[in-house]
Amino acid sequence: MSDYVNVAKIFGENVFNDTVMQERLPKKVYAKLKTVIREGGELDLETADVIAHEMKEWAIEKGATHFTHWFQPLTGFTAEKHDSFITAPKENGKVLMSFSGKELIKGESDASSFPSGGLRATFEARGYTAWDFTSPAFVRQDAAGATLCIPTAFCSYTGEALDQKTPLLRSMEAINKQALRLIRLFGNTTSKKVVPSVGAEQEYFLIDAEKFRKRKDLVYTSRTLFGASPAKGQEMDDHYFGVLRQRIGAFMKDANIELWKLGVSAKTQHNEAAPAQHELAPIYAEANVAADHNQIIMQTLKMVAGRHGMKCILHEKPFAGVNGSGKHNNWSLNTDDGINLLDPGKRPHENNQFLLVLSCMLKAVDLHAGLLRESASDPGNDHRLGGNEAPPAIISVFLGEQLDDVVEQFVSKGNATHSLKGGKLEMGVSTIAGVNKDATDRNRTSPFAFTGNKFEFRMVGSRDSIAESIVVLNTIAAEAFDEACNELEQAENFDEALHELIKKNFSEHRRVVFNGNGYSDDWVEEAARRGLPNISCMVDAVQELTRDCNVAMFEKYGVFSKTELASRQEVKYENYSKTLNIEARAMINIAAKQIIPAVISYTKTLADSIIAVRTAGLDLVSVQTELLEEISSELIKAQKALKELSRLEDKVLELPEGEERARFYHDQVAPAMKALRDPIDRMETMVDKKFWPMPSYGDLMFEV
Ligand code: ADP
Ligand code: MG
C-alpha cells in the first residue's frame, strides 16, 4: 500500500533527541549536557559551541535554512523570530552556514512587542530568550520551509519572567525539592528526582474553510457572535465515538504523521460531544515537554486543517448553546526510577505514602481553589465554565467510592482498615466473559477528578497554555508537602504523627470533595453552604493572583515574585478588555453592514409581495403582513441595541486600562452584546435563508 505509515521509523525523526545527541555528540560533550539536564547548572561556551554545530549540521540535513528561539510569551501563542544560518559572504561570493553556542544558548528579543503588564518601562525594550535544554529542539517543516526550533524561556532584562515556561520550570524545581523530602520520610533513598508528568487532552472543532471565511465573526474573533440554534443539535448523542467521516479521518491521519515526526506521541483520537468537535491526546510526558508538545499540537492541527480545506477552531466556545472545548490536564508525580506518588496500589488504606500525598492534595486544592480556578481563566472560557456543560466554576475534587470510603474511615475512626473492591461486571451474556471492574467509576462533571493514578484538571480552556495550571498544581502541592515534612521530620513517633496528620488534613479539607453531579443546581447551593468559592468570571478570578496567601506561597517557593504576579494580572485584564473590544466592534460591524441591510432587503420583498397581492384585489396577505410586523419589531430592537453597544464602546475607551476597564466590559458591554445578538438570532429563524448573509450553525457544523 503506497500510503503505508511506518510509525516506528518516522517517530521523532525531526527531533534532536537523546538518541541523536548520543550518536552525534562527542562522548564528553554528551556527558556534560546530560549532567546539566539532570542536575541543573550552566553549560560552558565551548560545550555549547560543539552542540550548536552538531545541531545545525543535523538540521541542515533535514532541510533547515533558519533557526528560531521558540518561546511562549503571555499572548497565549508561541512566538519566534527567524534567523538564517547564513553568515556574511566571503570574498568568493559564497556564504557559510554557521550557528554558535552563544546563538544557541541565548537570544535577544525586542520585549516591547510582547505583553509585560508594566514590568518593563517602554524605553527598556530588551528581553532575553534562553535555551531550555530539558525540552528537545526540533525541525518544523511547513510552507515557510524548514526551521530549527529551539525551545526557550523568555525574560526581561532584569530577569522577570515574561512567558509561560520560566515559572513552569521554577515550579518543577519547587515540587521536586519538597516531594523528595516527602518520599525520604518513607525510607526512599534511591530516587533522585520527582517530576510532574502531564498528559493534555485537546479538544477542537473542524469547519469547512470556505464557510469559515464567510463568517467574519469567526475570522476576527474565532467564535460566532451571532447564530440561531440548528434544527439538530447534539441531543442525539450520535457524534461522540461515532465513526470518523472520511474527510476528518484523512485530516487526523495527516496530523498524526506530522506530530509523530516531531516526537509528539499522539495516541488517542475521537469525535467529541458536539457535532464537528474532536479530541486528540498524546501519551503523557514530563510537564514542560508536555506543555511544549501541546503548543506543537495546536499549531499542527491548524496547519494540517489548512491543507485539507478546513479551519481548526480552538476557541473555548465557538458556538453558543453547543458544547465548548477544553483541555484536560492529567497530572501525576513520578520519580526518576518509576514510582508514581499518586498510585494508590491495590490496598490504598495501607499505602501511607499515598494517603499522605492524597491528604496534602486535598489541603492544597482547598486552600488555593481560587487560584486553581484562575489558572483556567480566559475570556473564552467564561462562556464555558459555569454553563451547563464542562466543569462548573466551583473547584471540587472527585475521589470516587473507594478513596472516599478511606477518607471517611479516617475522619470517623482515625484510621482506615479496609478498601472497597471493584468486583466483576456481569453483562448477562454467556458468551461475553465478565470484566473486572475498577473500584471507582468515572465522573465527568468534576473539575478535578482523581482518575486511577493521576488527577485530571478539566477546566483549562482549549486555546490556553497548560503551563499555568501545572504551575499552580506544582506549587500548591509543594507547599502542602513542605508543611507536612516540617511536621513529620520533627516527629518523635513517626507513625503516630503521620496518622494524626493524614486524619487532620482529611478532616479539615474534606469539604472540597464532591462525588455527585457537578452540573446540578443542588451542587451550587451545597458548595455555597460549604463555603467553597464560586468564581464565575475571569475578571473576578484574576484577583486571586495578588491575594496575600497566594503571593506569599509563590514567593516562598521561588515561582513568582510579587511584581511578576501583579504584571500577569495586568496582562490578563488587558487581554480581557482587548478581546471584548474586538468582539464588540466585530458585532457592530457585522450587524450594521451585513445583517441589518440583508433583513431590510428581505422586508422589502415581503412588502412588495403584500402590495402585489393587494393590487391584484386579493385580501390574502395575512402571512406576509404578520411576518413583516414580527421582523420589523425585531429589527427595531436590533437597531436600538446596536446604537447602545456603539455608545458603550466609545465610553469604555475613556476608562483607565486595567481592572476598571475590564470590569466595565464584563458588566456593561457583554450584556449589550447579548442584547444585540438576541433579536438578530430570532430574525435568522424568520428571514429567507437566501437573504441571510452568512452560513448558519447547521451549515457550519453538519456540513464539514
Ligand atoms: P479520557 O478517558 O480521560 O478521555 P484519554 O485517554 O483521552 O482519557 O487521555 C488520558 C490522558 O492522560 C493521556 O494523555 C494519558 O497519557 C494521560 N495519562 C495517563 N496516565 C497518566 C499519568 N500517570 N500521569 C499523567 N498523565 C497520564
Ligand atoms: Mg479523552
Side-chain angles (χ1 to χ4, degrees):
M1 231 163 78
S2 62
D3 55 355
Y4 163 77
V5 183
N6 186 337
V7 185
K9 185 160 170 282
I10 63 169
F11 191 84
E13 74 175 21
N14 288 346
V15 186
F16 197 68
N17 56 22
D18 197 59
T19 318
V20 179
M21 289 197 279
Q22 205 165 359
E23 260 169 36
R24 300 188 76 124
L25 297 177
K27 267 207 176 70
K28 255 190 166 161
V29 172
Y30 174 76
K32 252 191 201 163
L33 178 63
K34 288 300 276 186
T35 314
V36 180
I37 292 178
R38 214 175 34 244
E39 290 160 21
E42 276 182 33
L43 268 187
D44 58 277
L45 256 190
E46 210 178 305
T47 310
D49 272 334
V50 180
I51 300 171
H53 176 78
E54 281 307 323
M55 205 187 262
K56 176 206 71 187
E57 291 295 305
W58 168 84
I60 288 174
E61 283 167 29
K62 303 274 167 203
T65 52
H66 288 68
F67 70 91
T68 179
H69 278 195
W70 185 73
F71 58 104
Q72 293 155 42
L74 301 175
T75 50
F77 305 106
T78 56
E80 40 198 76
K81 179 179 137 225
H82 294 188
D83 279 303
S84 78
F85 291 119
I86 291 176
T87 49
K90 295 281 167 202
E91 296 89 40
N92 62 6
K94 298 216 155 123
V95 290
L96 277 179
M97 301 291 263
S98 80
F99 185 47
S100 69
K102 227 165 120 189
E103 286 172 301
L104 165 64
I105 289 182
K106 196 180 82 182
E108 204 182 309
S109 190
D110 179 6
S112 64
S113 329
F114 299 102
S116 73
L119 253 187
R120 166 198 41 73
T122 30
F123 57 84
E124 182 58 271
R126 223 185 271 207
Y128 287 118
T129 51
W131 180 31
D132 165 20
F133 29 71
T134 59
S135 180
F138 55 94
V139 167
R140 191 187 53 213
Q141 290 156 328
D142 58 19
T147 309
L148 169 65
C149 299
I150 303 152
T152 49
F154 179 44
C155 62
S156 74
Y157 187 67
T158 41
E160 276 114 354
L162 293 174
D163 69 344
Q164 305 285 9
K165 189 187 269 289
T166 308
L168 178 56
L169 294 173
R170 292 175 184 162
S171 73
M172 287 171 73
E173 287 187 14
I175 185 66
N176 173 43
K177 191 168 158 203
Q178 303 305 335
L180 276 178
R181 271 176 81 197
L182 186 144
I183 58 175
R184 298 281 185 256
L185 288 173
F186 293 87
N188 179 328
T189 51
T190 43
S191 302
K192 294 200 182 69
K193 206 172 174 180
V194 178
V195 182
S197 302
V198 169
E201 302 162 59
Q202 176 72 50
E203 291 178 342
Y204 60 95
F205 279 86
L206 283 175
I207 301 293
D208 183 81
E210 268 307 301
K211 297 198 179 86
F212 178 95
R213 271 192 281 279
K214 290 185 184 142
R215 296 276 321 207
K216 296 302 172 209
D217 46 2
L218 281 177
V219 171
Y220 294 123
T221 72
S222 302
R223 78 176 180 103
T224 54
L225 300 168
F226 302 103
S229 300
K232 182 182 179 207
Q234 65 198 56
E235 60 273 23
M236 300 294 283
D237 281 332
D238 52 356
H239 188 68
Y240 195 66
F241 288 160
V243 178
L244 294 174
R245 271 167 293 165
Q246 289 296 299
R247 188 177 187 190
I248 307 297
F251 159 85
M252 285 184 176
K253 178 182 172 190
D254 214 1
N256 283 335
I257 292 174
E258 292 301 333
L259 289 169
W260 289 332
K261 282 200 235 164
L262 293 170
V264 179
S265 52
K267 180 168 168 74
T268 308
Q269 62 192 30
H270 53 78
N271 293 339
E272 259 301 326
Q277 192 186 26
H278 313 278
E279 180 190 295
L280 184 145
I283 299 173
Y284 65 95
E286 282 195 13
N288 71 319
V289 174
D292 285 353
H293 280 184
N294 183 251
Q295 295 290 348
I296 295 177
I297 287 174
M298 291 193 284
Q299 286 179 349
T300 305
L301 291 177
K302 287 188 164 180
M303 179 185 81
V304 175
R307 278 193 216 147
H308 289 255
M310 295 188 284
K311 275 276 175 187
C312 172
I313 302 182
L314 293 171
H315 192 281
E316 285 74 24
K317 193 76 174 176
F319 304 100
V322 176
N323 232 53
S325 298
K327 190 134 54 191
H328 293 180
N329 173 356
N330 292 273
W331 178 89
S332 66
L333 292 171
N334 297 279
T335 65
D336 56 335
D337 49 358
I339 304 164
N340 179 356
L341 272 60
L342 286 171
D343 186 356
K346 287 218 165 64
R347 298 161 69 82
H349 68 284
E350 288 173 354
N351 187 343
N352 284 333
Q353 180 179 303
F354 169 76
L355 292 174
L356 178 62
V357 169
L358 183 70
S359 77
C360 284
M361 287 312 296
L362 291 192
K363 174 179 169 181
V365 173
D366 188 23
L367 292 181
H368 300 284
L371 192 60
L372 203 50
R373 160 70 181 87
E374 195 290 322
S375 74
S377 68
D378 169 276
N381 230 7
D382 267 15
H383 299 283
R384 187 175 157 257
L385 302 179
N388 195 27
E389 58 145 321
I394 307 163
I395 296 278
S396 65
V397 184
F398 169 81
L399 287 182
E401 256 175 42
Q402 189 187 46
L403 293 182
D404 197 43
D405 177 65
V406 172
V407 172
E408 168 59 31
Q409 292 180 54
F410 259 96
V411 173
S412 58
K413 304 188 304 203
N415 69 346
T417 49
H418 64 270
S419 300
L420 298 178
K421 294 245 161 13
K424 273 228 181 318
L425 180 73
E426 294 300 342
M427 299 205 191
V429 181
S430 61
T431 47
I432 298 180
V435 178
N436 281 328
K437 277 204 290 196
D438 286 340
T440 287
D441 196 5
R442 301 287 289 264
N443 174 318
R444 300 207 173 258
T445 67
S446 173
F448 196 63
F450 186 79
T451 45
N453 60 2
K454 58 186 163 71
F455 276 107
E456 185 172 348
F457 182 54
R458 303 207 180 103
M459 263 191 184
V460 183
S462 47
R463 266 179 315 181
D464 282 343
S465 163
I466 52 169
E468 277 185 60
S469 61
I470 308 173
V471 167
V472 171
L473 286 174
N474 291 347
T475 317
I476 63 176
E479 182 190 55
F481 289 1
D482 180 19
E483 284 167 7
C485 292
N486 288 344
E487 237 176 284
L488 296 175
E489 282 165 356
Q490 311 286 327
E492 278 174 21
N493 183 332
F494 176 74
D495 284 336
E496 231 168 61
L498 175 67
H499 262 81
E500 273 312 302
L501 182 60
I502 295 174
K503 183 183 173 198
K504 180 165 168 266
N505 283 346
F506 279 156
S507 309
E508 284 177 8
H509 303 289
R510 195 188 182 183
R511 64 175 192 157
V512 78
V513 176
F514 179 63
N515 290 312
N517 178 6
Y519 298 170
S520 71
D521 294 335
D522 292 350
W523 168 231
V524 176
E525 283 168 31
E526 165 71 17
R529 268 197 298 280
R530 295 188 192 184
L532 302 179
N534 182 358
I535 307 175
S536 66
C537 72
M538 171 169 175
V539 181
D540 287 338
V542 167
Q543 295 189 317
E544 295 292 322
L545 287 174
T546 47
R547 253 177 67 164
D548 288 346
C549 70
N550 294 331
V551 173
M553 174 187 70
F554 278 131
E555 290 209 311
K556 179 164 184 195
Y557 299 98
V559 176
F560 285 120
S561 67
K562 191 172 181 180
T563 329
E564 286 173 327
L565 287 164
S567 90
R568 263 153 220 259
Q569 193 173 45
E570 278 311 298
V571 170
K572 290 205 172 192
Y573 284 136
E574 216 177 287
N575 176 265
Y576 185 83
S577 296
K578 279 186 182 158
T579 305
L580 265 82
N581 180 35
I582 295 170
E583 289 183 353
R585 279 178 21 212
M587 274 191 112
I588 293 169
N589 208 288
I590 295 167
K593 297 201 172 149
Q594 289 189 279
I595 297 175
I596 292 178
V599 177
I600 291 175
S601 301
Y602 180 58
T603 53
K604 182 174 182 307
T605 314
L606 279 177
D608 287 349
S609 134
I610 294 169
I611 294 167
V613 176
R614 287 228 171 101
T615 315
L618 299 167
D619 197 19
L620 299 168
V621 289
S622 57
V623 173
Q624 289 96 315
T625 316
E626 198 181 314
L627 202 49
L628 183 57
E629 274 170 11
E630 279 176 23
I631 293 176
S632 301
S633 130
E634 298 295 348
L635 197 55
I636 291 167
K637 286 183 205 152
Q639 181 63 19
K640 257 199 189 148
L642 180 65
K643 276 195 180 152
E644 174 61 4
L645 183 58
S646 306
R647 187 186 70 80
L648 291 172
E649 257 298 289
D650 290 341
K651 196 171 158 199
V652 70
L653 297 177
E654 291 163 12
L655 298 175
E657 281 182 24
E659 185 181 351
E660 199 179 335
R661 191 182 286 191
R663 239 173 233 295
F664 190 87
Y665 269 111
H666 179 266
D667 297 347
Q668 308 278 331
V669 179
M673 286 164 62
K674 186 173 180 310
L676 174 56
R677 177 176 182 148
D678 287 345
I680 287 184
D681 287 358
R682 282 192 295 269
M683 288 193 288
E684 188 184 345
T685 64
M686 294 186 255
V687 170
D688 184 343
K689 190 170 170 56
K690 286 202 296 286
F691 285 78
W692 203 254
M694 60 188 81
S696 67
Y697 270 24
D699 300 333
L700 291 169
M701 280 186 285
F702 290 98
E703 295 173 23
V704 190

Coordinates of all heavy atoms in Angstrom, one line a residue, residues 197-201 240 268 270 279 281-284 328 330-332 334 340 442 444 453-454 456, ligand 1:
S197 N 4.3 14.7 35.7 CA 4.0 14.2 34.4 C 2.7 14.7 34.0 O 1.7 14.8 34.8 CB 4.0 12.7 34.3 OG 5.2 12.2 34.8
V198 N 2.5 15.1 32.7 CA 1.3 15.7 32.2 C 0.9 15.1 30.9 O 1.7 14.9 30.0 CB 1.4 17.2 32.1 CG1 0.2 17.8 31.4 CG2 1.5 17.8 33.5
G199 N -0.4 14.7 30.8 CA -1.0 14.3 29.5 C -2.1 15.3 29.3 O -3.1 15.4 30.1
A200 N -2.1 16.0 28.2 CA -3.1 17.0 27.9 C -4.0 16.6 26.8 O -3.6 16.4 25.6 CB -2.5 18.4 27.6
E201 N -5.3 16.4 27.1 CA -6.2 16.0 26.0 C -6.7 17.3 25.4 O -7.1 18.3 26.1 CB -7.4 15.3 26.6 CG -7.1 14.0 27.4 CD -8.2 13.6 28.3 OE1 -9.3 13.3 27.8 OE2 -7.9 13.4 29.5
Y240 N -20.3 11.6 19.5 CA -19.3 11.1 20.3 C -18.9 9.6 19.9 O -19.8 8.8 19.9 CB -19.7 11.2 21.7 CG -18.6 11.1 22.7 CD1 -17.6 12.0 22.8 CD2 -18.5 10.0 23.6 CE1 -16.6 11.9 23.7 CE2 -17.5 9.9 24.5 CZ -16.5 10.9 24.6 OH -15.5 10.7 25.5
T268 N -4.5 9.0 21.2 CA -6.0 8.8 21.2 C -6.7 9.9 20.4 O -6.3 11.1 20.5 CB -6.5 8.9 22.7 OG1 -5.7 8.1 23.4 CG2 -7.9 8.5 22.8
H270 N -10.7 10.9 18.8 CA -12.1 10.6 18.6 C -12.9 11.8 18.4 O -12.5 12.9 18.6 CB -12.6 9.7 19.8 CG -12.4 10.3 21.2 ND1 -13.2 11.3 21.6 CD2 -11.5 10.0 22.1 CE1 -12.8 11.6 22.9 NE2 -11.8 10.9 23.2
E279 N -11.2 15.3 19.5 CA -10.2 15.3 20.5 C -9.0 14.6 20.1 O -9.0 13.6 19.4 CB -10.8 14.7 21.8 CG -9.8 14.8 23.0 CD -10.2 14.0 24.2 OE1 -11.2 14.3 24.8 OE2 -9.5 13.0 24.5
A281 N -5.3 13.2 22.1 CA -4.5 13.1 23.3 C -3.2 12.4 23.0 O -3.2 11.3 22.4 CB -5.2 12.4 24.4
P282 N -2.1 13.0 23.5 CA -0.8 12.3 23.4 C -0.5 11.5 24.6 O -1.3 11.6 25.6 CB 0.2 13.5 23.3 CG -0.4 14.5 24.2 CD -1.9 14.3 24.1
I283 N 0.5 10.6 24.6 CA 0.9 9.9 25.8 C 1.6 11.0 26.7 O 2.3 11.8 26.3 CB 1.8 8.8 25.5 CG1 1.1 7.8 24.6 CG2 2.3 8.1 26.8 CD1 2.0 6.7 24.1
Y284 N 1.3 10.9 28.0 CA 1.9 11.9 28.9 C 3.4 11.9 28.9 O 4.1 11.0 28.6 CB 1.4 11.6 30.4 CG 1.8 10.4 31.0 CD1 2.9 10.4 31.8 CD2 1.1 9.2 30.8 CE1 3.3 9.2 32.5 CE2 1.5 8.0 31.5 CZ 2.6 8.0 32.3 OH 3.0 6.9 32.9
H328 N -8.0 18.8 29.0 CA -7.9 18.1 30.3 C -6.4 17.9 30.6 O -5.7 17.3 29.8 CB -8.6 16.8 30.2 CG -10.1 16.9 30.1 ND1 -10.9 15.9 30.0 CD2 -10.9 18.1 30.0 CE1 -12.2 16.3 29.9 NE2 -12.2 17.6 29.8
N330 N -4.0 16.1 32.7 CA -3.8 14.9 33.5 C -2.5 15.0 34.2 O -1.4 15.1 33.5 CB -3.9 13.6 32.7 CG -5.3 13.3 32.2 OD1 -6.1 12.7 32.8 ND2 -5.5 13.8 31.0
W331 N -2.4 15.0 35.5 CA -1.2 15.3 36.3 C -0.9 14.3 37.3 O -1.8 13.8 38.0 CB -1.5 16.7 36.9 CG -0.4 17.3 37.8 CD1 0.6 18.1 37.4 CD2 -0.3 17.2 39.2 NE1 1.3 18.5 38.5 CE2 0.8 17.9 39.6 CE3 -1.0 16.5 40.2 CZ2 1.2 18.1 40.9 CZ3 -0.6 16.6 41.5 CH2 0.5 17.4 41.9
S332 N 0.4 13.9 37.3 CA 0.8 13.0 38.4 C 2.3 13.3 38.7 O 2.9 14.1 38.0 CB 0.7 11.5 37.9 OG 1.6 11.2 36.9
N334 N 6.0 11.7 39.4 CA 6.8 10.4 39.2 C 8.2 10.6 39.6 O 8.8 11.6 39.2 CB 6.6 9.9 37.8 CG 5.2 9.6 37.5 OD1 4.7 8.5 37.8 ND2 4.5 10.6 36.9
N340 N 5.1 6.3 40.9 CA 4.1 7.3 40.8 C 3.6 7.6 42.2 O 2.9 6.7 42.8 CB 3.0 6.8 39.8 CG 1.9 7.9 39.7 OD1 1.9 8.9 40.4 ND2 0.9 7.6 38.8
R442 N -16.0 6.6 36.8 CA -15.5 7.9 36.4 C -16.6 8.9 36.6 O -17.8 8.6 36.7 CB -15.2 7.9 34.8 CG -14.2 6.8 34.4 CD -12.9 7.2 34.8 NE -12.4 8.4 34.1 CZ -11.6 8.3 33.0 NH1 -11.2 7.1 32.6 NH2 -11.2 9.3 32.3
R444 N -17.5 12.6 35.0 CA -17.1 13.6 34.0 C -17.5 15.0 34.3 O -17.3 15.9 33.5 CB -17.6 13.1 32.6 CG -17.0 11.7 32.3 CD -16.9 11.5 30.8 NE -16.2 10.2 30.6 CZ -14.9 10.1 30.3 NH1 -14.2 11.2 30.1 NH2 -14.4 8.9 30.2
N453 N -4.6 6.9 38.9 CA -3.2 7.2 39.4 C -2.8 8.6 39.1 O -1.6 8.9 38.9 CB -2.2 6.1 38.9 CG -2.1 6.2 37.4 OD1 -2.8 7.0 36.7 ND2 -1.3 5.3 36.8
K454 N -3.7 9.5 38.9 CA -3.4 10.9 38.5 C -4.6 11.7 38.8 O -5.7 11.2 39.0 CB -3.2 10.9 37.0 CG -4.3 10.4 36.1 CD -4.0 10.3 34.6 CE -4.9 9.5 33.8 NZ -6.2 9.9 33.6
E456 N -7.1 14.7 37.2 CA -7.4 15.3 35.9 C -8.1 16.6 36.1 O -9.2 16.7 36.6 CB -8.3 14.3 35.2 CG -8.7 14.7 33.7 CD -9.5 13.6 33.0 OE1 -9.5 12.5 33.5 OE2 -10.0 13.9 31.9
Ligands
ADP1 P1 -10.1 10.1 28.9 O1 -10.7 8.8 29.1 O2 -10.0 10.9 30.1 O3 -10.6 10.8 27.7 P2 -7.6 9.9 27.3 O4 -7.0 8.5 27.0 O5 -8.2 10.7 26.3 O6 -8.6 9.7 28.6 O7 -6.5 10.8 28.0 C1 -5.8 10.5 29.2 C2 -4.5 11.2 29.2 O8 -3.9 11.0 30.5 C3 -3.5 10.8 28.2 O9 -2.8 11.9 27.7 C4 -2.6 9.9 29.0 O10 -1.3 9.7 28.5 C5 -2.6 10.6 30.3 N1 -2.1 9.9 31.5 C6 -2.2 8.5 31.7 N2 -1.6 8.2 32.9 C7 -1.1 9.3 33.4 C8 -0.3 9.6 34.5 N3 0.1 8.7 35.4 N4 0.1 10.9 34.7 C9 -0.2 11.9 33.8 N5 -0.9 11.6 32.7 C10 -1.4 10.4 32.5

